[in-house]
Amino acid sequence: MANRREIGAAAVAAAALLAARSSQALDASRPIVTAPPVRIAMLLYPGMTALDVVGPQGLLAGLAPDTLDLVAQTVGPIPSDTGLSLIATTSFADCPTDLDVLFVPGGDGTAAQMLDAATLAFLRDRASRARWVTSVCTGSLILGAAGLLRGYRATSHWCVRDTVLPLLGAIPVDNRVVFDGNRVTAAGVSAGLDFALALAARLRDEDYARTAQLVAEYAPKPPFEAGSPAAAGSTITQRANAILDTLATEARKAAATTHWPASSDD
């Protein structure tokens, strides 16, 4: 039985082929062009939020059937902030140097990565040549700590967006997905799905993204209107802040002690 990845890849490939054949029918002199695979590197680190990675990976994998690397300092299982481990398939040293997409997730381990010299050096190097430099949730703070969001409009999880991003030279924006140049940042956790579809449309086309959305049956109708502080109200927001306080406090401290290189090639 075909798995979800194979189904998704087949569906989007069929949509692309149908579009190409329709175009060829209109102009028989134009050849069918098969789009090359996209080279994607997705950072893993201890304490990441698994859904920050798995959501975008599930929607982007069809674009990169054999060219999507899950990257960490060393190859092997990396525990998420809820204990679920993801497997890093490639080390920093072996990660391709030229990428179409460099991706950073958020999570409880964000502050540690904001201060990790090896992680920041890896991101600076790959970002200097990447077509797109991207993040979900507090992953934008790690990009910021690497000096990669200075002067860029960006978003993050609401608990740190307006308080920490400015400390890192970024301009906070209250949107689910923010494009600024080749920087693409998404808000908290669930926004990773919106991010992946928006980026897929840029990497291929809108019909490709729509097909991926349909294959995933992504038609959210949450049981509650509580996905933002404004919608949730003060009582629920206070409860959420109590859960998120350590993450936000540690991120602020890390941002306050971050020192960027004197110059940057990004």
Side-chain angles (χ1 to χ4, degrees):
M1 180 178 293
N3 60 33
R4 289 174 60 86
R5 174 173 168 177
E6 290 168 342
I7 293 170
V12 294
L17 183 59
L18 178 60
R21 284 177 174 170
S22 297
S23 176
Q24 190 182 45
L26 293 174
D27 183 356
S29 67
R30 292 162 60 184
I32 296 175
V33 178
T34 301
V38 176
R39 173 63 74 180
I40 301 173
M42 307 184 84
L43 178 70
L44 304 186
Y45 58 85
M48 66 194 162
T49 294
L51 187 56
D52 284 7
V53 180
V54 174
Q57 191 274 348
L59 290 174
L60 295 174
L63 286 168
D66 298 304
T67 53
L68 191 154
D69 293 305
L70 300 179
V71 184
Q73 294 196 36
T74 57
V75 171
I78 310 294
S80 72
D81 53 12
T82 60
L84 176 68
S85 290
L86 300 179
I87 305 298
T89 57
T90 306
S91 67
F92 286 176
D94 293 332
C95 178
T97 57
D98 298 300
L99 300 168
D100 292 295
V101 180
L102 175 64
F103 172 83
V104 182
D108 289 347
T110 293
Q113 297 307 303
M114 292 172 69
L115 299 173
D116 187 87
T119 296
L120 301 182
F122 168 77
L123 293 176
R124 291 184 191 114
D125 178 76
R126 297 310 192 271
S128 68
R129 293 177 299 278
R131 180 180 171 192
W132 297 100
V133 178
T134 72
S135 67
V136 167
C137 197
T138 55
S140 59
L141 304 187
I142 302 173
L143 289 179
L148 298 172
L149 291 181
R150 281 177 283 181
Y152 286 91
R153 298 166 67 252
T155 192
S156 193
H157 193 286
W158 60 263
C159 75
V160 294
R161 182 189 61 236
D162 298 327
T163 55
V164 183
L165 277 178
L167 300 177
L168 300 167
I171 303 164
V173 179
D174 182 9
N175 282 340
R176 290 279 283 179
V177 181
V178 176
F179 283 78
D180 189 354
N182 76 331
R183 271 41 171 184
V184 192
T185 54
V189 192
S190 64
L193 297 174
D194 298 9
F195 152 81
L197 292 172
L199 184 60
R202 302 289 185 100
L203 290 168
R204 187 66 58 82
D205 56 49
E206 290 188 0
D207 282 349
Y208 181 101
R210 290 189 179 97
T211 304
Q213 181 176 353
L214 180 57
V215 169
E217 198 175 353
Y218 179 43
K221 293 183 180 179
F224 309 105
E225 287 296 327
S228 68
S234 60
T235 299
I236 298 301
T237 299
Q238 288 174 7
R239 293 177 181 176
N241 273 323
I243 295 170
L244 296 165
D245 180 67
T246 298
L247 168 62
T249 299
E250 291 181 350
R252 283 195 298 271
K253 290 179 180 178
T257 59
T258 294
H259 299 286
W260 298 312
S263 62
S264 173
D265 295 327
D266 58 82

Short mmCIF file of all heavy atoms in Angstrom, two decimals, residues 5 36-42 60-70 96 98-101:
data_model
loop_
_atom_site.label_atom_id
_atom_site.label_comp_id
_atom_site.label_asym_id
_atom_site.label_seq_id
_atom_site.Cartn_x
_atom_site.Cartn_y
_atom_site.Cartn_z
N ARG A 5 3.33 9.95 1.87
CA ARG A 5 4.31 10.71 1.10
C ARG A 5 4.21 10.36 -0.37
O ARG A 5 4.25 11.22 -1.24
CB ARG A 5 5.71 10.45 1.64
CG ARG A 5 6.81 11.11 0.80
CD ARG A 5 8.15 10.96 1.47
NE ARG A 5 9.22 11.32 0.56
CZ ARG A 5 10.50 11.35 0.88
NH1 ARG A 5 10.86 11.05 2.11
NH2 ARG A 5 11.42 11.67 0.01
N PRO A 36 12.95 20.41 -11.51
CA PRO A 36 13.98 19.70 -10.74
C PRO A 36 13.59 19.63 -9.28
O PRO A 36 12.83 20.46 -8.79
CB PRO A 36 15.22 20.58 -10.95
CG PRO A 36 14.68 21.95 -11.20
CD PRO A 36 13.41 21.73 -11.97
N PRO A 37 14.10 18.64 -8.55
CA PRO A 37 13.79 18.56 -7.12
C PRO A 37 14.38 19.74 -6.37
O PRO A 37 15.37 20.34 -6.79
CB PRO A 37 14.44 17.24 -6.70
CG PRO A 37 15.51 17.00 -7.72
CD PRO A 37 14.97 17.56 -9.00
N VAL A 38 13.75 20.07 -5.27
CA VAL A 38 14.18 21.18 -4.43
C VAL A 38 15.10 20.65 -3.33
O VAL A 38 14.83 19.60 -2.74
CB VAL A 38 12.96 21.88 -3.81
CG1 VAL A 38 13.37 22.98 -2.86
CG2 VAL A 38 12.06 22.44 -4.91
N ARG A 39 16.18 21.35 -3.05
CA ARG A 39 17.11 20.95 -2.00
C ARG A 39 16.71 21.66 -0.70
O ARG A 39 16.76 22.88 -0.63
CB ARG A 39 18.54 21.29 -2.39
CG ARG A 39 19.56 21.08 -1.30
CD ARG A 39 19.69 19.63 -0.87
NE ARG A 39 20.40 18.82 -1.84
CZ ARG A 39 20.63 17.52 -1.69
NH1 ARG A 39 20.19 16.90 -0.61
NH2 ARG A 39 21.27 16.84 -2.64
N ILE A 40 16.29 20.89 0.29
CA ILE A 40 15.80 21.43 1.55
C ILE A 40 16.61 20.86 2.72
O ILE A 40 16.86 19.66 2.78
CB ILE A 40 14.31 21.08 1.77
CG1 ILE A 40 13.46 21.64 0.62
CG2 ILE A 40 13.81 21.62 3.11
CD1 ILE A 40 12.00 21.21 0.68
N ALA A 41 17.01 21.71 3.65
CA ALA A 41 17.64 21.28 4.90
C ALA A 41 16.80 21.81 6.06
O ALA A 41 16.57 23.02 6.18
CB ALA A 41 19.07 21.79 5.01
N MET A 42 16.34 20.89 6.92
CA MET A 42 15.51 21.25 8.07
C MET A 42 16.31 20.95 9.34
O MET A 42 16.71 19.81 9.59
CB MET A 42 14.21 20.46 8.06
CG MET A 42 13.45 20.59 6.74
SD MET A 42 11.83 19.77 6.73
CE MET A 42 10.83 21.06 7.49
N LEU A 60 6.07 19.61 2.14
CA LEU A 60 7.15 19.96 1.21
C LEU A 60 7.89 18.75 0.67
O LEU A 60 8.65 18.86 -0.29
CB LEU A 60 8.15 20.90 1.90
CG LEU A 60 7.62 22.28 2.29
CD1 LEU A 60 8.67 23.04 3.08
CD2 LEU A 60 7.19 23.08 1.06
N ALA A 61 7.68 17.57 1.28
CA ALA A 61 8.46 16.39 0.89
C ALA A 61 8.27 16.02 -0.57
O ALA A 61 9.20 15.52 -1.21
CB ALA A 61 8.09 15.21 1.79
N GLY A 62 7.08 16.27 -1.13
CA GLY A 62 6.84 15.94 -2.53
C GLY A 62 7.70 16.75 -3.49
O GLY A 62 7.95 16.32 -4.61
N LEU A 63 8.15 17.92 -3.04
CA LEU A 63 9.04 18.74 -3.86
C LEU A 63 10.48 18.26 -3.80
O LEU A 63 11.30 18.65 -4.63
CB LEU A 63 8.99 20.20 -3.37
CG LEU A 63 7.75 21.01 -3.70
CD1 LEU A 63 7.75 22.30 -2.89
CD2 LEU A 63 7.67 21.31 -5.18
N ALA A 64 10.79 17.47 -2.78
CA ALA A 64 12.18 17.07 -2.55
C ALA A 64 12.23 15.59 -2.18
O ALA A 64 12.64 15.22 -1.08
CB ALA A 64 12.78 17.93 -1.44
N PRO A 65 11.81 14.70 -3.09
CA PRO A 65 11.68 13.28 -2.74
C PRO A 65 12.96 12.63 -2.24
O PRO A 65 12.92 11.76 -1.38
CB PRO A 65 11.19 12.64 -4.04
CG PRO A 65 11.55 13.62 -5.12
CD PRO A 65 11.45 14.97 -4.49
N ASP A 66 14.10 13.07 -2.74
CA ASP A 66 15.38 12.51 -2.29
C ASP A 66 16.38 13.59 -1.90
O ASP A 66 17.57 13.32 -1.77
CB ASP A 66 15.99 11.63 -3.39
CG ASP A 66 15.11 10.45 -3.73
OD1 ASP A 66 14.79 9.67 -2.80
OD2 ASP A 66 14.73 10.31 -4.91
N THR A 67 15.87 14.81 -1.72
CA THR A 67 16.77 15.94 -1.48
C THR A 67 16.33 16.77 -0.28
O THR A 67 16.60 17.96 -0.21
CB THR A 67 16.84 16.84 -2.73
OG1 THR A 67 15.51 17.22 -3.12
CG2 THR A 67 17.55 16.14 -3.87
N LEU A 68 15.64 16.12 0.67
CA LEU A 68 15.25 16.80 1.91
C LEU A 68 16.04 16.16 3.05
O LEU A 68 15.89 14.98 3.33
CB LEU A 68 13.75 16.68 2.16
CG LEU A 68 13.18 17.55 3.27
CD1 LEU A 68 11.70 17.86 3.03
CD2 LEU A 68 13.35 16.91 4.65
N ASP A 69 16.89 16.97 3.68
CA ASP A 69 17.73 16.48 4.77
C ASP A 69 17.25 17.02 6.11
O ASP A 69 16.94 18.22 6.24
CB ASP A 69 19.18 16.91 4.56
CG ASP A 69 19.82 16.25 3.35
OD1 ASP A 69 19.81 15.01 3.29
OD2 ASP A 69 20.32 16.97 2.46
N LEU A 70 17.18 16.15 7.10
CA LEU A 70 16.95 16.55 8.49
C LEU A 70 18.33 16.65 9.13
O LEU A 70 19.03 15.65 9.28
CB LEU A 70 16.07 15.53 9.20
CG LEU A 70 14.68 15.33 8.58
CD1 LEU A 70 13.89 14.27 9.35
CD2 LEU A 70 13.88 16.63 8.53
N PRO A 96 24.48 19.57 2.43
CA PRO A 96 24.83 20.28 1.19
C PRO A 96 25.05 21.76 1.44
O PRO A 96 24.37 22.38 2.28
CB PRO A 96 23.61 20.04 0.30
CG PRO A 96 23.04 18.75 0.79
CD PRO A 96 23.26 18.75 2.27
N ASP A 98 24.78 24.28 -0.83
CA ASP A 98 23.88 25.15 -1.59
C ASP A 98 22.46 24.61 -1.49
O ASP A 98 22.17 23.51 -1.97
CB ASP A 98 24.33 25.22 -3.05
CG ASP A 98 25.71 25.84 -3.18
OD1 ASP A 98 25.88 26.99 -2.77
OD2 ASP A 98 26.61 25.14 -3.68
N LEU A 99 21.58 25.40 -0.88
CA LEU A 99 20.22 24.95 -0.58
C LEU A 99 19.19 25.85 -1.24
O LEU A 99 19.41 27.05 -1.41
CB LEU A 99 20.00 24.98 0.94
CG LEU A 99 20.91 24.11 1.79
CD1 LEU A 99 20.76 24.48 3.26
CD2 LEU A 99 20.60 22.64 1.57
N ASP A 100 18.07 25.25 -1.57
CA ASP A 100 16.91 26.06 -1.97
C ASP A 100 16.18 26.57 -0.74
O ASP A 100 15.72 27.71 -0.72
CB ASP A 100 15.95 25.22 -2.82
CG ASP A 100 16.55 24.87 -4.17
OD1 ASP A 100 16.79 25.80 -4.96
OD2 ASP A 100 16.78 23.68 -4.43
N VAL A 101 16.10 25.73 0.30
CA VAL A 101 15.38 26.11 1.51
C VAL A 101 16.18 25.70 2.74
O VAL A 101 16.53 24.53 2.90
CB VAL A 101 13.99 25.44 1.59
CG1 VAL A 101 13.27 25.85 2.89
CG2 VAL A 101 13.15 25.80 0.38
#
